[in-house]
C-alpha cells in the first residue's frame, strides 16, 4: 500500500499545483522556462503513474475487504465508464456541446469513472485509488470553474458534427477498452 500512496501523492500532487500553489507554479515556469517545466512535470507525473500501477498491483496481492457491492453495481459501473469515455473525448474534440456546457469534461470524466468504480469495488486498495481520484477531481472541478469565472472564459458553442464525433469516438473507445483492453491491462473482465 505505501507504493500506491506514494504514487498517488506524486501524480495527484503534481496535478494539483494549479489548485493549491498556482503562484509557486507560475514562478517556477518563469524560472525554468516552459519547456523545462513541462519536462519536469511530465517526469514527476509519469513516475507517479508508474508507482500507482505498481502499488495497485502489489496491494491486490494482499486484499482487504471493506464492503461487498451488489453485482448490479458492477453493471452500472459499465454505464458510468461509458459516460466517462464520452466526457474524456469531449475534452479533445473541437466545438462539442459537452465542453460548451460543462467546460471541463475531462475532470468530470475522472469523477464519473472514479465514482462508478467506488460503487462496483469494495477492497481497500480500490477505495484508496478511486476515492483519491474522486476527491481530487471534485476539488479540481470547483477550482477550474472558479478560475473560468474570474477570467471570464467563454467556451465555443457545440456543433452537430462535434457532438456526433464526440459520442462516436467515446463509445468506440469505451467498447474497445471494456471488451478487450481492461482484461488485458487490469486483469479484470468488466463485462463478466
Amino acid at each position: 500500500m505505501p507504493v500506491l500512496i506514494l504514487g498517488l501523492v506524486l501524480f495527484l500532487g503534481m496535478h494539483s499545483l494549479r489548485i493549491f500553489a498556482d503562484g509557486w507554479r507560475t514562478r517556477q515556469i518563469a524560472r525554468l522556462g516552459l519547456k523545462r517545466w513541462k519536462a519536469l512535470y511530465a517526469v514527476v507525473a509519469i513516475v507517479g503513474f508508474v508507482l500507482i500501477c505498481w502499488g495497485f498491483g502489489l496491494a491486490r496481492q494482499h486484499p482487504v475487504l471493506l464492503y461487498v457491492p451488489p453485482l448490479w453495481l458492477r453493471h452500472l459501473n459499465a454505464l458510468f465508464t461509458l459516460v466517462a469515455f464520452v466526457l474524456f473525448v469531449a475534452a479533445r474534440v473541437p466545438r462539442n456541446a459537452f465542453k460548451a456546457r460543462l467546460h471541463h469534461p475531462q475532470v468530470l470524466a475522472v469523477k464519473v469513472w472514479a465514482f462508478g468504480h467506488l460503487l462496483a469495488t469494495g477492497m481497500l486498495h480500490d477505495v484508496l485509488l478511486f476515492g483519491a481520484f474522486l476527491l481530487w477531481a471534485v476539488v479540481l472541478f470547483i477550482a477550474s470553474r472558479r478560475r473560468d469565472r474570474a477570467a471570464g472564459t467563454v467556451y465555443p458553442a457545440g456543433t452537430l458534427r462535434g457532438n456526433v464525433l464526440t459520442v462516436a469516438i467515446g463509445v468506440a473507445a469505451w467498447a474497445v477498452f471494456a471488451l478487450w483492453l481492461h482484461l488485458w491491462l487490469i486483469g479484470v473482465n468488466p463485462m463478466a
Side-chain angles (χ1 to χ4, degrees):
M1 203 70 76
V3 176
L4 175 59
I5 293 169
L6 177 60
L8 287 166
V9 167
L10 287 174
F11 186 84
L12 296 177
M14 197 60 161
H15 283 83
S16 298
L17 289 176
R18 287 208 68 193
I19 302 170
F20 300 110
D22 199 28
W24 180 84
R25 177 186 166 272
T26 303
R27 288 190 302 277
Q28 297 313 306
I29 292 170
R31 185 174 69 83
L32 298 170
L34 186 58
K35 285 186 179 182
R36 286 177 60 198
W37 170 256
K38 284 184 175 183
L40 175 63
Y41 188 102
V43 167
V44 172
I46 289 168
V47 167
F49 184 74
V50 167
L51 289 173
I52 288 170
C53 294
W54 183 34
F56 191 75
L58 291 173
R60 284 171 62 179
Q61 294 174 13
H62 306 284
V64 176
L65 182 65
L66 297 178
Y67 57 89
V68 179
L71 184 60
W72 63 270
L73 283 178
R74 190 171 182 187
H75 299 297
L76 183 62
N77 183 39
L79 179 60
F80 276 101
T81 307
L82 172 61
V83 171
F85 267 84
V86 171
L87 289 171
F88 185 82
V89 171
R92 285 149 185 80
V93 173
R95 299 188 63 91
N96 67 77
F98 301 99
K99 189 166 188 174
R101 175 86 172 108
L102 303 171
H103 302 188
H104 299 280
Q106 181 171 327
V107 179
L108 287 174
V110 173
K111 285 169 66 171
V112 171
W113 165 81
F115 180 69
H117 279 74
L118 277 173
L119 292 177
T121 59
M123 297 295 178
L124 176 60
H125 58 273
D126 296 319
V127 171
L128 180 61
L129 176 70
F130 302 120
F133 270 94
L134 178 59
L135 177 63
W136 169 80
V138 167
V139 173
L140 179 60
F141 187 76
I142 292 167
S144 298
R145 292 296 296 250
R146 187 175 296 141
R147 193 169 41 249
D148 282 353
R149 282 191 299 276
T153 304
V154 177
Y155 291 85
T159 63
L160 179 61
R161 182 182 191 286
N163 297 341
V164 169
L165 276 174
T166 298
V167 172
I169 295 169
V171 169
W174 171 83
V176 168
F177 195 79
L179 297 174
W180 296 288
L181 292 179
H182 198 280
L183 177 60
W184 181 62
L185 294 171
I186 314 298
V188 175
N189 182 355
M191 305 313 275

